[in-house]
Amino acid sequence: MSDCPLCDAPGGRVLWQDEFCRVVLVDEPDYPGFLRVILNRHVREMTDLVPEERSRLMVKVCKTEQVIRDVMRPDKINLASLGNVVPHLHWHVIPRFVDDPHFPNPVWGEKLRETSHAVPAELEAQLAAALNSLV
Amino acid sequence: MSDCPLCDAPGGRVLWQDEFCRVVLVDEPDYPGFLRVILNRHVREMTDLVPEERSRLMVKVCKTEQVIRDVMRPDKINLASLGNVVPHLHWHVIPRFVDDPHFPNPVWGEKLRETSHAVPAELEAQLAAALNSLV
């Protein structure tokens, strides 16, 4: 075991993966469809990757964004690579709705309301199918 | 005038620009060296760009990250494209230090302390020089 939770465990329900990275569904009840694209190996920053790897990772982040847009039709997408707590490169890909708990704040900001958003039935299966249908 | 502040104004002190995007220094007293990479034209999401444009923008974001690392030696870099308030594609590139006001929280989260970080002399000039020395 390392001391990195993203080296020791998937970090969510794995919907897609290859030898380079994985896409996981995050368990955030306020944010159904919140996905993370996680580099498999332990690297801190985008600029610790060679340019071809940065590009490969961002292509997957953008494909994940497109999947969320296609399946969920959010009002906005939020992308972020922070890693202050877990410095293992991972991208948050977050569907945002104008009536979600924090909008227009970031999901890490002040909570403004309780959500009434219904979780689409079969959401996980839809996201997984869309991710796996991509070339 | 449009109703978009990033169409109507630079959105910060412009340190570098071309016909596609610009890099601006944000006026955030708690976060010296906080830069934004702003697409010049009004587009909401990364996936509203064609893949070649996404790549071009992320190459600039990564170069900006490298400049901040070289000049400021932060403990972590935070990258984010949110746009909930201003849905005009822009990337936050934020140097984080373990003793900055919010660390390890995101800068949009709870403030944990006042900062005692000295702003490096000539920081703006150093960042601008580094950005303009890139190919």
Side-chain angles (χ1 to χ4, degrees):
Chain A
M1 297 286 281
S2 73
D3 60 357
C4 172
L6 294 182
C7 288
D8 293 339
R13 292 175 66 85
V14 178
L15 303 190
W16 180 93
Q17 62 185 316
D18 68 5
E19 75 286 0
F20 180 66
C21 68
R22 57 193 186 266
V23 181
V24 308
L25 180 64
V26 176
D27 181 21
E28 289 276 2
D30 276 347
Y31 288 95
F34 185 151
L35 300 182
R36 288 195 186 111
V37 181
I38 303 171
L39 192 76
N40 288 338
R41 78 180 198 270
H42 189 83
V43 169
R44 286 178 70 87
E45 306 283 11
M46 283 293 282
T47 49
D48 291 330
L49 300 177
V50 299
E52 293 72 20
E53 292 172 318
R54 301 173 199 172
S55 174
R56 181 176 178 180
L57 189 58
M58 289 313 298
V59 166
K60 182 52 65 176
V61 169
C62 287
K63 285 184 175 178
T64 300
E65 170 179 310
Q66 189 65 59
V67 160
I68 290 176
R69 292 182 73 183
D70 291 345
V71 171
M72 302 187 72
R73 305 281 170 197
D75 296 307
K76 190 70 192 70
I77 290 284
N78 288 177
L79 302 177
S81 170
L82 307 177
N84 305 325
V85 176
V86 180
H88 175 132
L89 198 52
H90 60 281
W91 281 90
H92 306 273
V93 186
I94 313 169
R96 301 300 308 274
F97 295 89
V98 295
D99 60 351
D100 75 31
H102 299 79
F103 199 93
N105 290 338
V107 299
W108 308 282
E110 185 186 0
K111 187 169 181 173
L112 301 177
R113 66 188 72 85
E114 296 300 318
T115 186
S116 59
H117 239 273
V119 179
E122 308 288 344
L123 175 62
E124 179 176 338
Q126 288 180 342
L127 292 169
L131 286 163
N132 284 283
S133 72
L134 297 172
V135 290
Chain B
M1 298 285 282
S2 73
D3 58 358
C4 172
L6 294 181
C7 287
D8 293 337
R13 291 175 67 85
V14 178
L15 303 190
W16 179 94
Q17 60 186 317
D18 68 5
E19 76 285 0
F20 180 65
C21 67
R22 59 193 186 265
V23 181
V24 308
L25 181 63
V26 176
D27 181 21
E28 287 277 1
D30 277 346
Y31 288 95
F34 185 151
L35 301 181
R36 288 196 186 111
V37 181
I38 303 171
L39 191 76
N40 288 338
R41 77 179 199 271
H42 189 82
V43 169
R44 287 178 70 86
E45 306 283 10
M46 283 293 283
T47 49
D48 291 331
L49 300 177
V50 299
E52 294 72 19
E53 293 173 317
R54 301 172 198 172
S55 175
R56 180 176 179 180
L57 188 59
M58 289 313 298
V59 166
K60 181 54 64 178
V61 169
C62 287
K63 286 183 175 179
T64 301
E65 171 179 309
Q66 189 64 60
V67 161
I68 291 177
R69 293 183 73 183
D70 292 345
V71 170
M72 303 188 70
R73 305 280 169 199
D75 297 308
K76 190 71 191 66
I77 290 284
N78 288 177
L79 302 177
S81 170
L82 307 178
N84 303 326
V85 176
V86 180
H88 175 132
L89 198 53
H90 61 282
W91 280 90
H92 305 273
V93 187
I94 313 169
R96 301 300 309 275
F97 295 89
V98 295
D99 60 352
D100 76 31
H102 299 80
F103 199 92
N105 290 338
V107 301
W108 307 282
E110 186 187 359
K111 187 169 181 172
L112 301 176
R113 67 188 72 85
E114 295 301 319
T115 186
S116 59
H117 241 272
V119 179
E122 310 288 344
L123 176 63
E124 179 176 340
Q126 288 179 344
L127 292 169
L131 284 164
N132 285 283
S133 72
L134 296 172
V135 290

